[in-house]
Amino acid sequence: MEWEGVVSRMNQESEDLPGQISPTRGKAGSTRSVSVFRMKNGIPGTQCVFFFGVYSVTFKSVEELYNTGIKKSSAADCTITHGGHIHDLAIKAGCHENELIDFSANINPAGPPASFRSTIKRTLDQVIHYPDHHYLDLVEAIALKHGGEPENIVVGNGSTELLYALPRALACKRALLPVPSYSDYGAAFRMAGIPVETVQLCAENNFLFEIEHLVKHLSGGDVVVFGQPNNPTGRMVNRDAIVNVAKAAPFSMFIIDESFADFVDGYSSLSLDALPNVIVLKSLTKFYAIPGLRLGFVHAAVPVANALRASLPLWSVNVFAQAVGIESLKDIAYAEAARHLIKRNRIRQVRRLNAIGSLRVFNGCANFLLLSLSNPRVNARRLAEELLKHKIAVRLCESFEGLDNNYIRIAVRSDEENKLLAFHLAEILNCKPIRIKRNHRTPAIMFQGTSSNAGKSVLTAAMCRVMVQDGISVAPFKAQNMSLNSFVTSDGGEMGRAQVVQAQACRVAPNVSMNPILLKPNSDTGSQVIVNGKSVGSMRVAQYVKYKSTAFNIVKENYDSLASQFDAIVLEGAGSPAEVNLKDHDIVNMRMASYAKSPVLLVGDIDRGGVFASFLGTMETFEPWEQSLVAGFIVNRFRGDASLLQSAFDYTFHHTGKPVIGVVPYITALGLPEEDSVTFKCSESLWDDTRKPVVTIGIIDLPHISNFTDFDALLLEPDVALRIVRTPGDLDSLDAVIIPGSKNVPADLAWLRSSQIADRLVSLAHGNKIEIIGICGGYQMLGKEIADPYGIESGGCKCSGLSLLDISTILGRDKILERTVATHKISGHTVSGYEIHHGRTTINGITVLLTNSKNEPAGAGTSDHRIWGTYLHGVFDRDPFRRWFIDRLRSNKGIFPLGKIVAQYDIESALDRLADIFRAAVNVKNIYRIMGL
């Protein structure tokens, strides 16, 4: 029985389908696709596939269709004829759309170009005007990128709009389609009333379309439509053969769909040949990952282009799509990186899938793969249903003519996602997993800051101590730290002091794997680079940028090793992730978070002002993948009633979609070492104004100061004030002055002289009016001479010291890294700390004041102890010696010594206090949920 009718559009909101039917011409009992909208007069015995939007439903008879109430929500019982219907798939999988891994749509896994968000924002003010309906700037950008003249290019609202308009613009009698292929090729021509004939491609020949065999079947008025590469097979047609056939059949038209051609390395578009009977159809949606914007174009001979333009509505391409298209086409680096990513990931995935039994891979050259199943227990639909249980969506291929329910198509996505798909495919088809290396994700959380000194180091330590208190085995990690405040581990490795404190918060021994890269600036443009605890030399900025790829591999190895030993990792970022000049070679912020699969909490310092602007501004610099890592914000150092900030929280959530998950108060006298010298450099003094100090000690603010935490313990003493010395006048009325460590002794000595602080120090020393202490580099400066024959800190020069002690120093090639316990001879007290120095110091005729366990000198000075120095960082950390030192200064002023310990330098109690404050300010259970604990 045959039937026919007039096509009319179905009301998509309609729940039932009573009324009239309008099929294209077809035979009863066939499975030819027909357009159905409303119908009456059921025709018993008819079996056909009816399309509703993107769904097709098979009925045994039209009467059955008449008697069945169909709703759009019945998608679970329908065959999806396009990929990417993530909303419906998520409903069926029982998860949120963001949780679904969508292999059904062939979209670039790299996401849109970095310019996407900024382009959209710049274009917002254009929405009050109609778009340029000539698309002049976009057409020019397309011509520049893909070749051709502007008059040859027609822009549309996605390639689909252009595809459906082309049959109306062409005077053609018949469409020839190799199948399987994109189903809308045939649908477009059938809708225009043009007969469609198909050429079946064979799986035995890997679905290769040999176009040269088609020439003898072509006649005037034919149009041949195919993909280059083809969807769903991913196969390419020989380019020379296309050109030869087009020339041999000048009265036939050839529509070549190059929507996936940008994924093919080295591909040369057919538009460059400018053949009059070749029409190139191209989508920008897939390659630039903008399916929600819709953008495509056609390159055709002028007569065809003009006819196509005339068939399109005005303003079909909006201002956002035009602007994004222009910017995306300029981004050569993005395109090259995307092709490299897809090619690498496709090759790896093919290798994995080939190892799975009962699965055949048709290897293509695009960003997707066609798979056929030969497992009698599992067909494609069953496989898709099983994968959805794991929140994975694939494309069923039975809607492609020539394919059946044993074929699926999968997109090429990130390597981790591809591994996951391969794992579950093997599990479902073989009933056992194949040997695929899968990275175990150790639960992690990362604290990043909107700026340096936002408080992320302290909050990292707080989270570490909270987790330890909750019985979780945890370790800290910072991929790269730039700080002159370092520490020596028990095995002689050098690492950042902040990670040492964080390790103490975790109650584990500090290890260089917690901070594999340490940068110690020794000039404005260079740093000493410490890798795995050992120096690999000094590098200027450009040198280190080149080294970063090597450094990141080292970072990942250390992270993997550390993560395998603990139940959770708390990571810390560096500086700000919004430093756009550093993002391309980032190894410590978002790139590290991505590698660790760690959610990110963004910390802002409200005490500086503008914290909510910094949250929003930081988010604006992020690409989509970076934004997806951000779990929320923490407001740090707040003074006042946090409830007053609710309107700001709401505003921030409205604009970013991310919540503020905590407000941490301003904490005074915390008692933990600072990570870097930011606070020190910004201070005039380092003591509480409520104190009434008896002793004042100066700390000289050297330009290259290092290990400034050597005097942190002195801050705890109630009778001590610390003053920052930056001018000669700052030395007045001091009881003692400390010359701290330096990363560039020659340069800092020159600064002491140019600032006239050196002359004032010498004058005070000769008058016995002050006690002068040198630590590490400061100890070397007190001597007569510092030689640097290997150019460790200078250009190989020799410089004179302050000559306040009879010592001389040579900077050796190798760095001394030691933990040291020593005895102070005059007081008899034990001191401890660590040594980090290249210097080898010779003591000539002065008193050895400190000796280590081997009875070797660890410090020396004048016999009256007025001028002395040591290499020992942390010399004041032990309470008895520190009190003896302060009481001696009191006695020198004629003030009675206290004679007992009044302050304890106890990091443990400080960490517990910090954890209590953090718990009260932040919902820790929420963070655990974010981490997946």
Side-chain angles (χ1 to χ4, degrees), residues 546-861:
K546 292 180 180 178
Y547 179 73
K548 270 191 170 181
S549 59
T550 300
F552 193 42
N553 288 331
I554 294 169
V555 164
K556 290 185 287 187
E557 289 173 4
N558 279 276
Y559 181 82
D560 290 342
S561 173
L562 195 69
S564 68
Q565 301 171 50
F566 293 87
D567 296 335
I569 302 292
V570 182
L571 297 95
E572 181 191 343
S576 166
E579 292 169 349
V580 293
N581 57 311
L582 303 179
K583 286 178 69 173
D584 285 348
H585 45 83
D586 166 47
I587 66 171
V588 64
N589 286 312
M590 283 302 182
R591 195 175 173 199
M592 185 63 228
S594 176
Y595 180 78
K597 295 183 173 59
S598 172
V600 172
L601 296 176
L602 201 57
V603 180
D605 180 1
I606 197 170
D607 198 50
R608 294 183 178 186
V611 68
F612 296 103
S614 67
F615 287 151
L616 269 64
T618 300
M619 292 293 287
E620 283 300 312
T621 68
F622 286 165
E623 296 180 37
W625 69 268
E626 294 171 304
Q627 290 186 336
S628 68
L629 290 170
V630 177
F633 308 105
I634 294 180
V635 176
N636 195 26
R637 298 178 182 143
F638 178 67
R639 309 171 194 251
D641 181 359
S643 66
L644 300 176
L645 299 176
Q646 188 58 51
S647 61
F649 297 166
D650 295 341
Y651 184 93
T652 302
F653 182 81
H654 177 74
H655 282 77
T656 67
K658 311 291 182 179
V660 175
I661 68 167
V663 180
V664 179
Y666 194 98
I667 307 172
T668 58
L670 179 57
L672 292 178
E674 293 278 353
E675 177 187 13
D676 52 38
S677 58
V678 173
T679 302
F680 176 85
K681 291 286 186 182
C682 294
S683 303
E684 296 297 326
S685 61
L686 297 174
W687 55 283
D688 189 340
D689 290 339
T690 61
R691 294 185 191 178
K692 295 180 180 179
V694 174
V695 171
T696 303
I697 301 172
I699 312 294
I700 297 180
D701 183 12
L702 300 172
H704 302 93
I705 187 172
S706 67
N707 290 74
F708 56 91
T709 51
D710 283 340
F711 41 82
D712 274 2
L714 294 168
L715 287 168
L716 300 177
E717 300 292 348
D719 54 344
V720 173
L722 295 184
R723 180 191 300 169
I724 309 300
V725 175
R726 297 189 176 103
T727 68
D730 294 333
L731 292 167
D732 294 342
S733 304
L734 292 179
D735 300 300
V737 62
I738 298 173
I739 307 176
S742 167
K743 197 66 194 69
N744 193 325
V745 171
D748 283 347
L749 260 176
W751 176 81
L752 285 175
R753 290 192 168 97
S754 66
S755 66
Q756 299 182 343
I757 292 175
D759 291 340
R760 180 67 174 146
L761 276 173
V762 171
S763 174
L764 290 169
H766 290 162
N768 291 326
K769 295 180 179 180
I770 193 171
E771 184 163 330
I772 302 174
I773 304 103
I775 298 176
C776 199
Y779 178 36
Q780 297 170 6
M781 294 182 203
L782 294 174
K784 292 185 174 181
E785 182 181 83
I786 301 102
D788 186 10
Y790 302 106
I792 302 297
E793 295 181 6
S794 66
C797 69
K798 182 185 293 185
C799 62
S800 298
L802 300 175
S803 295
L804 297 177
L805 291 178
D806 190 6
I807 59 175
S808 58
T809 301
I810 296 176
L811 300 185
R813 192 187 301 274
D814 297 324
K815 181 184 287 190
I816 293 173
L817 299 166
E818 291 179 356
R819 298 285 293 275
T820 302
V821 177
T823 301
H824 185 253
K825 287 190 171 184
I826 297 176
S827 68
H829 290 304
T830 299
V831 296
S832 62
Y834 50 94
E835 300 182 42
I836 308 174
H837 55 92
H838 285 275
R840 275 67 170 172
T841 296
T842 302
I843 300 172
N844 303 306
I846 60 172
T847 304
V848 173
L849 298 177
L850 291 162
T851 55
N852 62 21
S853 57
K854 300 176 184 177
N855 205 32
E856 298 169 337

Side-chain angles (χ1 to χ4, degrees), residues 331-345:
D331 199 337
I332 306 300
Y334 168 89
E336 291 176 350
R339 276 189 288 271
H340 174 76
L341 173 72
I342 290 295
K343 182 178 180 179
R344 183 198 67 188
N345 289 1

Side-chain angles (χ1 to χ4, degrees), residues 57-92:
V57 184
T58 302
F59 294 92
K60 296 178 181 177
S61 67
V62 179
E63 184 174 68
E64 180 181 333
L65 173 63
Y66 177 77
N67 293 326
T68 303
I70 301 294
K71 296 183 179 181
K72 193 174 182 180
S73 62
S74 61
D77 301 317
C78 301
T79 300
I80 299 178
T81 59
H82 289 280
H85 298 287
I86 192 166
H87 175 73
D88 302 305
L89 290 166
I91 290 175
K92 191 169 184 181

